[in-house]
């Protein structure tokens, strides 16, 4: 994580981290100037996943109340969900459930390229049937200009 | 990477690693019993990306000449490409180009759950317009039973 | 609107019209020989939008009780919804809501090309998060042979 | 059916058979070494269709309790549903209902090519509006390695 | 085939028939009043498949030179291709090739329901990698009002 | 056009205008403070349509050389293309051709809501088979934050 200087990889590494590493990674990213928040959500409803990420972003001040920042976040979430759903953005409707950790990171695309602000949403978790153990890993990354 | 005990995260971390870390991560994964290969490819043609990954898997013996193993690999690649393309599996047709590092990892879903073999394809890189610097990060993960 | 002689543009202009212009445009289209109806609907449910348009068409006699005319209408609606949803035909499931004005127009494709009957569905409105002001414009046009 | 020696056609012919022919076809397929089950389901919910097929497969022992066989079945079902939904895997959300007969067949891809086990899901039925007679035929076939 | 009285099943059974059965099935369907043609095509290009089916339909007089009949055929072909491609209507771009037999059948939806003309396109064949034997069965059915 | 005070409707009306009305509408929109350009393009290649719109936007100074403005434009174009392609963003691959007039408009979402800059891409034209007269109208609208 120390060498990680790009927005998307930062978001993915935080979403994939476990235990104490999550805070360590988030702190390391903040030290480099990225704004960071993260959380977890499990659901069969896509809209609950979207709502959990939007709520985390608002609560931590990563997006403000203006529509343009929420529009940027919403479409980064939808993009990340494409990696999750791989062909359709549906869960319960197609009898799937998901348990995710997510991250939202705001900053330049890379530390060398600091002229603009971008937003990344990282997702990592397990997707599968609503039967214990019948699941495999899944990830998603969405990036949008702020 | 030391603590990483799951197939998909192993594939993603290798695809996202840089420089010497790539070999280190791959060696660590092999020590745990995963079969691993990786490579890089840049193209505006989806079929070249698929071919590069299929070739790497065959050359390293991760898939054999039987159709069933190639079918498993093909659909893991397509799934990972959904994260890459976020809505359509197209590149040059929609004026996009991609530079990727990819990994193929074979093993149990997790080190605790060793009854079956699965296959993961991880992709990480840059997607964008065919103009230098007009690109952002992208990732994909596809997992299939072998 | 006076110069407008094609089916799809007629449908779009009526769906986009405001206030008295709606009736004026519809009357002008009827004078040229088009059958026209229009209405409005707001919902987070795709099926309510489909039902509102189907009901308006039946009530005004633009489709009859035979399946073939309803099949033509249904697929014109689905096509228009692709412009609305831009990638997935979902609203509430992905935490979006929509407020629409729609039109249904039946006639030849253009006034010079009167050998066959076609059907157009136009949609225009606002799509967004279920938060006041967090929305932008959206439109859709579906055309099918009758 | 006597000459039919391939997995997918076997699945389709059983799904399309009527009356006594269903049992006759299933018996003929079993004589050739295929494992076969079949059933029917009608719904506006995709998840009920998936559940009905998964339940039939488990009850008849065509898949076991291991995730890998259920993963193979799930994705064969999703593939067959693409033929059914032709563009989106949705029913009630887009005001459609379906009445289906389905089959699940396990065996080699063809009787000459017996090295591997594959799984086919066939679907055949009527799709349409929730109005009597407003429906037309639809079919789907999904094939996956076991 | 003797008992088959519906448009879509007729199209599928002809597309799935082999050897002399093809002509027998087509003759049986024509005896019942259906207009029928069929053919075969192999390609990595979706547009060649579409062109082959459109050419067969025109050559046999199943569609005339008016746009409305060609529009009906085109969308029935696209619908059938959704069953073939299962998620994207692409072949060579995603390194797939297909060998198909297809049928086009025109008539009422069923022999009891003769008020309207509909059109069915059936497809059956093998899809796979451009490597001998690395392929499995695939089918598609598209139905549209004429 | 005089009463039109919103970004998307402005873009659509300019794309749909004919003859002298195009310049009149564009001038009216510029008077209200919108930045406007427009053009036409016909092709069987999606990438040529994207390139034509990107070139027009750059030549007229509506986007600058920074990636973020080009990213906003690119995704507004893709969104508008969803209305055009209604289910897949493909043209020649599925034997379709298109003749379009397009517009790019930059400004606030509405004249009352001037805090942020947004970008709209409007498209209107004919889509069809590569046969004269075998085509119908199509439109698309994509809106993104700048």
């Amino acid at each position: 994580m120390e060498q990680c200087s790009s927005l998307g990889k930062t978001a993915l590494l935080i979403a994939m981290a476990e235990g104490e590493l999550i805070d360590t990674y988030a702190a390391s990213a903040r030290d480099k100037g990225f704004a960071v928040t993260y959380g977890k959500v499990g659901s069969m409803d896509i809209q609950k996943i979207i709502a959990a990420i939007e709520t985390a972003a608002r609560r931590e001040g990563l997006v403000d109340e203006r529509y343009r920042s929420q529009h940027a976040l919403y479409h980064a979430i939808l993009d990340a969900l494409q990696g999750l759903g791989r062909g359709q953005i549906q869960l319960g409707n197609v009898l799937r459930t998901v348990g995710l950790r997510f991250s939202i990171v705001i900053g330049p695309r890379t530390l060398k390229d600091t002229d603009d602000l971008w937003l990344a949403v990282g997702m990592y978790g397990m997707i599968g049937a609503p039967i214990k153990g019948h699941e495999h890993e899944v990830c998603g990354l969405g990036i949008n200009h702020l």
Side-chain angles (χ1 to χ4, degrees), chain A residues 71-135:
Chain A
H71 188 259
L73 174 61
Y74 179 77
H75 285 280
I77 295 171
L78 274 202
D79 272 10
L81 287 170
Q82 296 275 10
L84 216 82
R86 287 150 297 128
Q88 59 273 355
I89 303 198
Q90 296 190 89
L91 291 172
N93 324 30
V94 289
L95 212 53
R96 291 198 285 203
T97 188
V98 89
L100 281 186
R101 272 181 293 107
F102 63 83
S103 63
I104 310 157
V105 182
I106 287 177
R109 278 178 295 145
T110 73
L111 294 179
K112 291 167 206 148
D113 183 16
T114 58
D115 49 344
D116 284 317
L117 278 187
W118 291 69
L119 180 152
V121 171
M123 299 178 178
Y124 169 81
M126 302 299 281
I127 197 164
I131 299 175
K132 193 175 149 41
H134 284 208
E135 57 187 8

